[in-house]
Amino acid sequence: MNVVETIVVFAVIPLAIYGFAGLLTLRRKSGGAPRHRPGQAWEYPAMWWSANPEGVGEGHAHAGAGNSVVAAGATTAAGGARGNW
């Protein structure tokens, strides 16, 4: 393998591949949906995403629901990280 072949294989071909990939990212996507621009009016209904659609609208289960007074020394935590080991 001479010097010219080495340069073509290890320099020109990889540069051509990277150049082609770069040109693909710069092309205009004419088939896409219109984009929202800052300052433009939002004319669509609000859409909220939830990982658990069945749980939307339900309140959290609290210890002693309806009773805001917690007895001294009572634990209200149901699990998770704690400060004491």
Side-chain angles (χ1 to χ4, degrees):
M1 189 184 247
N2 63 21
V3 175
V4 174
E5 291 173 343
T6 304
I7 292 173
V8 168
V9 169
F10 292 110
V12 176
I13 293 175
L15 286 174
I17 292 170
Y18 281 112
F20 180 71
L23 288 175
L24 285 177
T25 63
L26 296 176
R27 67 183 169 87
R28 184 129 174 101
K29 297 170 187 70
S30 60
R35 295 181 60 175
H36 177 74
R37 302 290 180 195
Q40 185 180 16
W42 186 258
E43 301 168 354
Y44 304 99
M47 182 184 328
W48 295 97
W49 180 83
S50 173
N52 182 10
E54 290 81 24
V56 173
E58 296 178 11
H60 295 286
H62 295 288
N67 184 6
S68 61
V69 178
V70 178
T75 303
T76 58
R82 290 185 174 70
N84 54 357
W85 291 56

Short mmCIF file of all heavy atoms in Angstrom, two decimals, residues 9-41:
data_model
loop_
_atom_site.label_atom_id
_atom_site.label_comp_id
_atom_site.label_asym_id
_atom_site.label_seq_id
_atom_site.Cartn_x
_atom_site.Cartn_y
_atom_site.Cartn_z
N VAL A 9 -7.58 6.01 2.07
CA VAL A 9 -8.31 5.10 2.96
C VAL A 9 -8.51 5.69 4.34
O VAL A 9 -9.59 5.61 4.93
CB VAL A 9 -7.59 3.74 3.04
CG1 VAL A 9 -8.17 2.88 4.14
CG2 VAL A 9 -7.67 3.02 1.71
N PHE A 10 -7.48 6.33 4.90
CA PHE A 10 -7.55 6.78 6.28
C PHE A 10 -7.91 8.25 6.45
O PHE A 10 -8.13 8.69 7.58
CB PHE A 10 -6.22 6.49 6.99
CG PHE A 10 -5.98 5.03 7.18
CD1 PHE A 10 -4.98 4.38 6.47
CD2 PHE A 10 -6.74 4.28 8.06
CE1 PHE A 10 -4.75 3.04 6.63
CE2 PHE A 10 -6.52 2.94 8.24
CZ PHE A 10 -5.52 2.30 7.52
N ALA A 11 -7.98 9.03 5.38
CA ALA A 11 -8.31 10.45 5.50
C ALA A 11 -9.49 10.85 4.63
O ALA A 11 -10.48 11.40 5.12
CB ALA A 11 -7.09 11.31 5.17
N VAL A 12 -9.41 10.58 3.35
CA VAL A 12 -10.43 11.08 2.42
C VAL A 12 -11.77 10.37 2.63
O VAL A 12 -12.82 11.02 2.72
CB VAL A 12 -9.94 10.93 0.97
CG1 VAL A 12 -11.03 11.33 -0.01
CG2 VAL A 12 -8.69 11.76 0.75
N ILE A 13 -11.77 9.06 2.73
CA ILE A 13 -13.04 8.31 2.89
C ILE A 13 -13.73 8.67 4.21
O ILE A 13 -14.92 8.98 4.21
CB ILE A 13 -12.80 6.80 2.74
CG1 ILE A 13 -12.40 6.48 1.30
CG2 ILE A 13 -14.06 6.02 3.13
CD1 ILE A 13 -12.02 5.04 1.06
N PRO A 14 -13.04 8.68 5.36
CA PRO A 14 -13.73 9.09 6.60
C PRO A 14 -14.23 10.53 6.54
O PRO A 14 -15.33 10.83 7.01
CB PRO A 14 -12.67 8.92 7.68
CG PRO A 14 -11.74 7.91 7.15
CD PRO A 14 -11.71 8.13 5.68
N LEU A 15 -13.46 11.44 5.96
CA LEU A 15 -13.92 12.83 5.82
C LEU A 15 -15.15 12.92 4.93
O LEU A 15 -16.07 13.71 5.20
CB LEU A 15 -12.80 13.72 5.29
CG LEU A 15 -11.70 14.06 6.29
CD1 LEU A 15 -10.58 14.82 5.60
CD2 LEU A 15 -12.26 14.86 7.44
N ALA A 16 -15.21 12.12 3.89
CA ALA A 16 -16.38 12.12 3.01
C ALA A 16 -17.61 11.60 3.76
O ALA A 16 -18.72 12.14 3.61
CB ALA A 16 -16.11 11.27 1.78
N ILE A 17 -17.43 10.59 4.58
CA ILE A 17 -18.56 10.05 5.36
C ILE A 17 -19.06 11.08 6.37
O ILE A 17 -20.26 11.32 6.48
CB ILE A 17 -18.15 8.73 6.05
CG1 ILE A 17 -17.92 7.65 5.01
CG2 ILE A 17 -19.20 8.30 7.07
CD1 ILE A 17 -17.29 6.38 5.55
N TYR A 18 -18.14 11.72 7.10
CA TYR A 18 -18.54 12.75 8.06
C TYR A 18 -19.16 13.96 7.36
O TYR A 18 -20.11 14.55 7.87
CB TYR A 18 -17.35 13.19 8.92
CG TYR A 18 -17.03 12.22 10.04
CD1 TYR A 18 -15.86 11.49 10.01
CD2 TYR A 18 -17.90 12.05 11.09
CE1 TYR A 18 -15.56 10.60 11.03
CE2 TYR A 18 -17.61 11.18 12.12
CZ TYR A 18 -16.43 10.44 12.08
OH TYR A 18 -16.14 9.57 13.09
N GLY A 19 -18.63 14.33 6.23
CA GLY A 19 -19.20 15.44 5.46
C GLY A 19 -20.61 15.14 5.00
O GLY A 19 -21.50 16.00 5.06
N PHE A 20 -20.84 13.92 4.52
CA PHE A 20 -22.18 13.53 4.08
C PHE A 20 -23.16 13.54 5.24
O PHE A 20 -24.28 14.03 5.13
CB PHE A 20 -22.13 12.15 3.42
CG PHE A 20 -23.46 11.68 2.93
CD1 PHE A 20 -24.06 12.26 1.82
CD2 PHE A 20 -24.12 10.65 3.58
CE1 PHE A 20 -25.29 11.83 1.37
CE2 PHE A 20 -25.34 10.21 3.14
CZ PHE A 20 -25.94 10.80 2.02
N ALA A 21 -22.73 13.00 6.40
CA ALA A 21 -23.60 13.01 7.58
C ALA A 21 -23.89 14.44 8.03
O ALA A 21 -25.01 14.77 8.43
CB ALA A 21 -22.95 12.22 8.71
N GLY A 22 -22.89 15.31 7.95
CA GLY A 22 -23.11 16.71 8.30
C GLY A 22 -24.08 17.40 7.37
O GLY A 22 -24.93 18.19 7.80
N LEU A 23 -24.00 17.12 6.09
CA LEU A 23 -24.94 17.72 5.13
C LEU A 23 -26.36 17.22 5.36
O LEU A 23 -27.33 17.96 5.17
CB LEU A 23 -24.49 17.41 3.70
CG LEU A 23 -23.25 18.16 3.23
CD1 LEU A 23 -22.84 17.67 1.84
CD2 LEU A 23 -23.49 19.65 3.23
N LEU A 24 -26.50 15.98 5.79
CA LEU A 24 -27.84 15.46 6.09
C LEU A 24 -28.49 16.21 7.25
O LEU A 24 -29.70 16.39 7.28
CB LEU A 24 -27.78 13.96 6.41
CG LEU A 24 -27.59 13.03 5.23
CD1 LEU A 24 -27.48 11.59 5.71
CD2 LEU A 24 -28.71 13.17 4.22
N THR A 25 -27.68 16.64 8.21
CA THR A 25 -28.25 17.37 9.35
C THR A 25 -28.61 18.80 9.00
O THR A 25 -29.41 19.42 9.69
CB THR A 25 -27.26 17.39 10.53
OG1 THR A 25 -26.08 18.09 10.14
CG2 THR A 25 -26.91 15.99 10.98
N LEU A 26 -28.03 19.34 7.95
CA LEU A 26 -28.29 20.72 7.56
C LEU A 26 -29.44 20.87 6.57
O LEU A 26 -29.85 21.99 6.26
CB LEU A 26 -27.02 21.35 6.95
CG LEU A 26 -25.85 21.48 7.90
CD1 LEU A 26 -24.64 22.00 7.15
CD2 LEU A 26 -26.19 22.38 9.06
N ARG A 27 -29.95 19.76 6.04
CA ARG A 27 -31.03 19.86 5.05
C ARG A 27 -32.30 20.37 5.69
O ARG A 27 -32.54 20.22 6.88
CB ARG A 27 -31.26 18.51 4.38
CG ARG A 27 -31.82 17.46 5.31
CD ARG A 27 -31.95 16.13 4.59
NE ARG A 27 -32.23 15.08 5.52
CZ ARG A 27 -33.44 14.74 5.93
NH1 ARG A 27 -34.49 15.37 5.47
NH2 ARG A 27 -33.62 13.77 6.81
N ARG A 28 -33.13 20.98 4.90
CA ARG A 28 -34.39 21.55 5.37
C ARG A 28 -35.44 20.45 5.40
O ARG A 28 -35.63 19.74 4.43
CB ARG A 28 -34.84 22.67 4.45
CG ARG A 28 -36.07 23.36 4.90
CD ARG A 28 -35.82 24.86 4.91
NE ARG A 28 -37.03 25.61 5.20
CZ ARG A 28 -37.27 26.10 6.38
NH1 ARG A 28 -36.42 25.90 7.35
NH2 ARG A 28 -38.35 26.80 6.60
N LYS A 29 -36.13 20.35 6.48
CA LYS A 29 -37.19 19.35 6.63
C LYS A 29 -38.51 20.00 6.25
O LYS A 29 -39.22 20.54 7.09
CB LYS A 29 -37.20 18.82 8.05
CG LYS A 29 -35.93 18.11 8.43
CD LYS A 29 -35.89 17.82 9.92
CE LYS A 29 -34.58 17.26 10.33
NZ LYS A 29 -33.48 18.20 10.30
N SER A 30 -38.88 19.94 5.00
CA SER A 30 -40.07 20.64 4.52
C SER A 30 -41.36 19.89 4.87
O SER A 30 -42.43 20.49 4.89
CB SER A 30 -39.99 20.83 3.00
OG SER A 30 -39.90 19.57 2.37
N GLY A 31 -41.28 18.61 5.17
CA GLY A 31 -42.48 17.84 5.46
C GLY A 31 -42.90 17.88 6.92
O GLY A 31 -43.89 17.28 7.30
N GLY A 32 -42.16 18.59 7.77
CA GLY A 32 -42.45 18.61 9.19
C GLY A 32 -43.62 19.53 9.53
O GLY A 32 -44.08 20.34 8.72
N ALA A 33 -44.11 19.40 10.74
CA ALA A 33 -45.20 20.25 11.22
C ALA A 33 -44.66 21.66 11.49
O ALA A 33 -43.49 21.83 11.79
CB ALA A 33 -45.78 19.65 12.49
N PRO A 34 -45.51 22.67 11.39
CA PRO A 34 -45.06 24.03 11.70
C PRO A 34 -44.63 24.13 13.15
O PRO A 34 -45.23 23.53 14.03
CB PRO A 34 -46.28 24.90 11.41
CG PRO A 34 -47.44 23.98 11.37
CD PRO A 34 -46.92 22.62 11.02
N ARG A 35 -43.58 24.90 13.40
CA ARG A 35 -43.02 25.02 14.74
C ARG A 35 -43.59 26.22 15.46
O ARG A 35 -43.95 27.22 14.85
CB ARG A 35 -41.50 25.16 14.65
CG ARG A 35 -40.85 23.92 14.09
CD ARG A 35 -39.37 24.07 14.03
NE ARG A 35 -38.86 24.31 15.38
CZ ARG A 35 -37.60 24.38 15.68
NH1 ARG A 35 -36.70 24.25 14.75
NH2 ARG A 35 -37.20 24.60 16.91
N HIS A 36 -43.65 26.11 16.78
CA HIS A 36 -44.09 27.23 17.61
C HIS A 36 -42.91 28.16 17.84
O HIS A 36 -41.82 27.72 18.20
CB HIS A 36 -44.63 26.73 18.94
CG HIS A 36 -45.01 27.83 19.87
ND1 HIS A 36 -46.13 28.58 19.69
CD2 HIS A 36 -44.40 28.32 20.97
CE1 HIS A 36 -46.20 29.49 20.65
NE2 HIS A 36 -45.15 29.34 21.43
N ARG A 37 -43.11 29.43 17.63
CA ARG A 37 -42.05 30.42 17.82
C ARG A 37 -42.36 31.26 19.05
O ARG A 37 -43.54 31.51 19.36
CB ARG A 37 -41.94 31.34 16.60
CG ARG A 37 -41.66 30.60 15.32
CD ARG A 37 -40.25 30.07 15.32
NE ARG A 37 -40.00 29.37 14.06
CZ ARG A 37 -39.00 28.57 13.87
NH1 ARG A 37 -38.14 28.36 14.83
NH2 ARG A 37 -38.82 27.98 12.73
N PRO A 38 -41.35 31.71 19.79
CA PRO A 38 -41.60 32.56 20.95
C PRO A 38 -42.38 33.82 20.56
O PRO A 38 -42.11 34.43 19.54
CB PRO A 38 -40.19 32.93 21.43
CG PRO A 38 -39.32 31.84 20.91
CD PRO A 38 -39.93 31.41 19.61
N GLY A 39 -43.36 34.18 21.37
CA GLY A 39 -44.19 35.35 21.10
C GLY A 39 -45.41 35.03 20.26
O GLY A 39 -46.33 35.84 20.15
N GLN A 40 -45.43 33.86 19.67
CA GLN A 40 -46.57 33.45 18.85
C GLN A 40 -47.69 32.94 19.75
O GLN A 40 -47.43 32.29 20.76
CB GLN A 40 -46.10 32.35 17.89
CG GLN A 40 -47.11 31.90 16.89
CD GLN A 40 -46.53 30.80 16.00
OE1 GLN A 40 -45.52 30.19 16.32
NE2 GLN A 40 -47.18 30.55 14.89
N ALA A 41 -48.92 33.24 19.40
CA ALA A 41 -50.06 32.80 20.21
C ALA A 41 -50.17 31.28 20.19
O ALA A 41 -49.96 30.66 19.15
CB ALA A 41 -51.34 33.42 19.69
#
